[in-house]
Amino acid sequence: MNTVERIEAGEDVTTRQGEVLDAVLSLLVEGAALTMSAVARRASCSKETLYKWFGDRDGLLRATVQWQASRVRAGNYERQKLDATALRESLEQFAANWLSVITSRTSIALNRVAIADAGSGKSNLGAIVLENGRFAIGERLKPLLEDAREAGLLHFDDAEEAFRTFFGLAGRDVQIRALLGETLVLSKQDIARDAALVTRQFFALYGASQLPVKAG
Amino acid sequence: MNTVERIEAGEDVTTRQGEVLDAVLSLLVEGAALTMSAVARRASCSKETLYKWFGDRDGLLRATVQWQASRVRAGNYERQKLDATALRESLEQFAANWLSVITSRTSIALNRVAIADAGSGKSNLGAIVLENGRFAIGERLKPLLEDAREAGLLHFDDAEEAFRTFFGLAGRDVQIRALLGETLVLSKQDIARDAALVTRQFFALYGASQLPVKAG
DNA sequence: AAAGCACCGTACCGTACGTTACGGTTCGGT
DNA sequence: ACCGAACCGTAACGTACGGTACGGTGCTTT
């Protein structure tokens, strides 16, 4: 079980183990039933190895979620002196990145298993996904918002609330529609346009040059 | 299978069948494993009857989703001459209603099974839920927005886009967090405050005039 | 070269669950 | 009173799948 714990930490994954986890991801993305036998077949490994490395089916799922999370983790935002243009570009980038993540087949598949799991309460996949998705982007975006406030570009009392507004403006109904099976095809242009719109709207609400909407 | 089709239409559900579907809902809400045996036990009916009425497990799920949907369907918005105050109240009501729906245990449970189902592609529960959730509220809210534009209270080109903005501002990260297992407790006051904030923000983006401020 | 190890492939076991079958009971119609 | 339909409770069947055991193979170490 020590192996399991190392993997649960989301690191020290050997290349071979990474191949196995990629096999899991490929099965998930295909919507195929995720049986241990199917994983072993797809990864060309034995079930015995799966159990040795990951403990049980649940551990395999956890490892997969963290494997994908560790890969998605983008570089952190670098605190900097901001001007309005740099802020706008950063916000657009955040929005575009988030939109492309939540519409990716991998993200959709992983969120599906995590949500199903959260229902049965077996494991804590939901918490892991939440931690690496919604909360991770929050922790990355809030420093930007605070720097922008520091620079007098934005106006808000609560960074968390401002972030949640940005999150809502960016995500809208996209994620729930994707999760519920609607096939949304967002081209690069669609995403760029939406990201620009979101950013404009966010500026309208929290930009210092505009009249800020104050929180109740 | 004719029985199944009648039930798929979401109507002609006898009281006894409704009791069975309520049993399904209660099991779902509890997060219990939804086996046919468990349903039969909970509903005090025989499995044979379940299969006779609903065809198979999938049909039972479909019937349950539509059963709940038909019950949630609120009264339609009545087109009316709007003033700013009536508009604000209507929007706040929409937002508050939506927030309380998506945080209700029933909605969360139902969305979970629909999302899990959408992954395996077995049935079309996802489409049904989407139709009765996100799209239903869209069709109910858009007439209000258009009346408001007619009355010169709102400015927008595309009612769909305006609605999606409202949807995003209202929902934010609430639904995904709930689906992923975070237990959000929103009191009446929380919801009312959020609904007011959302409405203020929406007015800031699309309002043609100054938002009338609620007293207190 | 020999031994040990990590792993693959596969057969196997136990259980859970969807589905079917059947005997017993209630009840409305004749 | 009798019949049949509808339904309940439960037993039984088949299968899918999580988990385990085991023989075979190639690679590393000594």
Side-chain angles (χ1 to χ4, degrees), chain B residues 154-189:
Chain B
L154 294 179
H155 270 164
F156 55 82
D157 290 333
D158 183 358
E160 174 72 8
E161 186 201 284
F163 165 70
R164 292 184 73 201
T165 298
F166 185 83
F167 186 95
L169 285 172
R172 294 171 164 184
D173 56 356
V174 171
Q175 190 165 24
I176 188 64
R177 286 169 74 171
L179 288 173
L180 282 170
E182 195 176 343
T183 52
L184 307 167
V185 275
L186 293 184
S187 67
K188 283 277 187 210
Q189 290 80 4

Side-chain angles (χ1 to χ4, degrees), chain B residues 49-67:
Chain B
T49 301
L50 291 183
Y51 284 98
K52 185 178 178 187
W53 284 348
F54 306 103
D56 55 8
R57 185 176 184 278
D58 211 65
L60 177 60
L61 246 30
R62 261 201 305 274
T64 304
V65 167
Q66 298 191 321
W67 170 242

Side-chain angles (χ1 to χ4, degrees), chain B residues 1-6 51-52 54-56:
Chain B
M1 297 295 164
N2 46 358
T3 308
V4 174
E5 274 148 17
R6 274 197 285 115
Y51 284 98
K52 185 178 178 187
F54 306 103
D56 55 8

Side-chain angles (χ1 to χ4, degrees), chain B residues 50 65 77 79 124:
Chain B
L50 291 183
V65 167
Y77 156 74
R79 303 190 87 106
N124 57 339

Side-chain angles (χ1 to χ4, degrees), chain A residues 31 112 114-115 118-119 126 130 134 164-165 167-168 172-174 177 179-180 182 201 204-206 213-214 216, chain B residues 112 114-115 118-119 126 130 134-135 164-165 167-169 172-174 177 179-180 182 193 200-201 204-206:
Chain A
R112 282 201 180 122
I115 286 171
L130 219 37
R134 141 73 236 242
R164 292 184 73 200
T165 298
F167 186 95
R172 295 168 166 190
D173 57 355
V174 172
R177 285 168 74 171
L179 288 174
L180 282 170
E182 194 177 344
Q201 291 180 324
L205 293 178
Y206 291 98
V213 174
K214 297 203 60 184
Chain B
R112 281 203 181 119
I115 286 170
L130 218 37
R134 141 73 236 242
F135 288 112
R164 292 184 73 201
T165 298
F167 186 95
L169 285 172
R172 294 171 164 184
D173 56 356
V174 171
R177 286 169 74 171
L179 288 173
L180 282 170
E182 195 176 343
R193 186 174 36 75
R200 249 178 289 136
Q201 291 180 325
L205 294 177
Y206 292 97

Side-chain angles (χ1 to χ4, degrees), chain A residues 108-135:
Chain A
I108 293 170
L110 283 177
N111 273 276
R112 282 201 180 122
V113 301
I115 286 171
D117 176 272
S120 66
K122 280 270 305 180
S123 178
N124 57 340
L125 292 188
I128 298 174
V129 167
L130 219 37
E131 201 57 48
N132 291 284
R134 141 73 236 242
F135 288 113

